Amino acid sequence: MQLRPNQRLKLDDTDDKLFYTSPRFVTHVDEGFIQQLTDLYRDRLKPILQLRSGQDTRIFDMMSSWVSHLPEEMQFSHVEGHGLNAQELARNPRLNHYFVQNLNENPQIPLPDEDFDAVLNCVSVQYVQYPEAVFSEIYRILKPGGVAIISFSNRMFFEKAIQAWREASEAERVELVKAYFASVPGFTTAEVIANKSTLPNFLQWLGAAGGDPFYAVIAYRS
């Protein structure tokens, strides 16, 4: 899988760091989405905690913000955060440490090989211009058997999403993320969780409760 140059383009091609200069202390999806995501994290991360007896469980929350949506009752030895706004990351109570980096300028993640049990990315994959490189980095930093969970809805900052995402249907976006995983040898076949919205499109865009569809694409490092 290789995106064409035009598929990587954004309507707003100014520096992403400028766009994220001011913190946004809001959630970009509704409560129904957040609950489904927290439940999914609980389901997929609980076996890791049990396997390691709670010791040395390391989570990387990539392209994070002021909230991580991790289950409150689950504690990890280390949660590393990453994003583009330091104020948002500093306010996130689940992060033990964080760093600011624009992955579209430099997709190399400054973290050790095979160091994390899980890599999480919530409603941000649509902004990645070089997913082949970023997903290769996700694979590199995951421990063998580690899980990557990429979640998204139909919301986005339209001007900052790449063309391949903007022009795709919801089903095609799922296939796009599956292809990102498939581009890296060593990931398991991607699993998809799709809970489409039953509300009419205009109510979804108005932010009606229960209106956000929930998608997650999940793969493990073999």
Side-chain angles (χ1 to χ4, degrees), residues 7-190:
Q7 291 181 298
R8 305 179 195 274
L9 297 178
K10 302 185 178 190
L11 295 176
D12 177 0
D13 62 359
T14 58
D15 191 334
D16 290 337
K17 291 193 293 292
L18 297 176
F19 186 80
Y20 293 98
T21 297
S22 298
R24 296 177 174 89
F25 295 117
V26 298
T27 52
H28 301 284
V29 281
D30 66 15
E31 288 301 318
F33 182 102
I34 292 170
Q35 186 60 58
Q36 291 180 81
L37 181 60
T38 300
D39 290 343
L40 176 61
Y41 286 165
R42 181 180 292 109
D43 178 62
R44 298 308 172 104
L45 300 180
K46 185 176 180 180
I48 293 172
L49 283 172
Q50 293 174 334
L51 177 66
R52 304 192 184 282
S53 301
Q55 302 298 314
D56 194 30
T57 51
R58 297 174 60 81
I59 308 297
F60 179 46
D61 192 6
M62 183 175 71
M63 303 176 77
S64 184
S65 66
W66 65 288
V67 286
S68 290
H69 308 305
L70 290 164
E72 290 183 5
E73 78 278 7
M74 299 180 74
Q75 298 299 317
F76 308 95
S77 61
H78 185 87
V79 179
E80 183 77 17
H82 155 264
L84 277 177
N85 187 280
Q87 290 173 272
E88 289 185 23
L89 296 170
R91 188 164 162 179
N92 189 327
R94 296 308 301 265
L95 302 182
N96 300 107
H97 183 265
Y98 65 84
F99 63 96
V100 174
Q101 179 176 321
N102 183 354
L103 295 178
N104 290 328
E105 288 184 350
N106 177 16
Q108 186 172 355
I109 299 172
L111 297 170
D113 294 355
E114 300 184 10
D115 199 40
F116 289 87
D117 296 282
V119 174
L120 314 176
N121 184 297
C122 174
V123 297
S124 296
V125 69
Q126 59 266 30
Y127 309 121
V128 177
Q129 291 180 285
Y130 302 96
E132 308 92 335
V134 170
F135 275 66
S136 180
E137 284 291 280
I138 291 173
Y139 178 84
R140 180 184 63 79
I141 67 174
L142 275 174
K143 299 175 184 177
V147 64
I149 302 174
I150 311 297
S151 60
F152 52 94
S153 188
N154 59 353
R155 299 195 191 197
M156 70 189 88
F157 294 119
F158 197 78
E159 66 273 35
K160 281 297 183 179
I162 64 170
Q163 179 179 300
W165 194 274
R166 296 194 312 271
E167 296 182 351
S169 67
E170 291 182 21
E172 289 169 338
R173 290 168 185 167
V174 170
E175 293 302 315
L176 197 59
V177 179
K178 287 172 62 180
Y180 294 166
F181 277 120
S183 72
V184 183
F187 274 120
T188 60
T189 301

